[in-house]
Amino acid sequence: MQVPIHGISIMDTAYGPLHRDASLWILYDIIIQFFRDTIESIILYGAESWTLTKSLEKELNGCYTRLLRAALNIKWKDHVTNENLYGAVPQVTDTTRKRRLKFAGHCFRGSQVVSNLIFLQPSDGTRRRGRPA
């Protein structure tokens, strides 16, 4: 008998993860891996250059959660919390921060011209006080 994917979360809520069938674990892992390899990479294309504000983080996390629920066929009426939904999957904003730090390190180790442009560290000169004339 084949159990639909949204049944996994219902079983987790009711019986805990110890009562899962081994084939459901494999199916769940395949879906999560496929989701992270395809959908996450499309969503985060160019995320290294984004400026993440609180409202953008909220929108991004909400979109990612909706897509993850759709991929796992979990309905809102199943009452699955986001902590149970994500499991070992990191939140998308955490992934974005890691990518930005990796990109900044890549640019810092690169040529000096690119490093100066990105980190903008003026080497000389000061601005006088007051309104510019």
Side-chain angles (χ1 to χ4, degrees):
M1 182 172 120
Q2 204 163 20
V3 178
I5 291 300
H6 73 276
I8 292 175
S9 299
I10 295 170
M11 287 187 332
D12 263 351
T13 307
Y15 303 111
L18 296 177
H19 295 282
R20 279 191 181 173
D21 187 6
S23 62
L24 289 178
W25 273 108
I26 294 170
L27 186 58
Y28 177 80
D29 290 341
I30 290 172
I31 290 173
I32 291 294
Q33 189 63 42
F34 181 76
F35 179 82
R36 293 201 65 203
D37 290 344
T38 56
I39 306 298
E40 187 176 295
S41 63
I42 292 170
I43 290 174
L44 295 180
Y45 179 77
E48 294 85 5
S49 61
W50 296 351
T51 302
L52 282 180
T53 60
K54 291 290 182 185
S55 62
L56 183 59
E57 281 185 15
K58 188 176 177 181
E59 284 183 39
L60 196 58
N61 280 332
C63 174
Y64 190 77
T65 303
R66 281 191 301 276
L67 289 171
L68 189 58
R69 284 182 184 271
L72 295 173
N73 198 17
I74 297 175
K75 308 292 186 237
W76 285 104
K77 60 185 174 184
D78 292 337
H79 300 290
V80 178
T81 63
N82 285 344
E83 288 80 22
N84 290 339
L85 176 69
Y86 278 97
V89 179
Q91 286 210 347
V92 69
T93 51
D94 296 337
T95 307
T96 305
R97 281 190 194 97
K98 286 180 185 175
R99 285 185 176 198
R100 290 183 71 203
L101 282 173
K102 188 187 285 188
F103 181 68
H106 172 75
C107 292
F108 186 71
R109 288 185 301 273
S111 71
Q112 190 64 29
V113 175
V114 174
S115 177
N116 286 341
L117 283 175
I118 290 177
F119 296 111
L120 192 61
Q121 299 171 351
S123 58
D124 60 335
T126 58
R127 186 179 171 277
R128 294 183 308 163
R129 270 183 74 176
R131 181 173 167 226

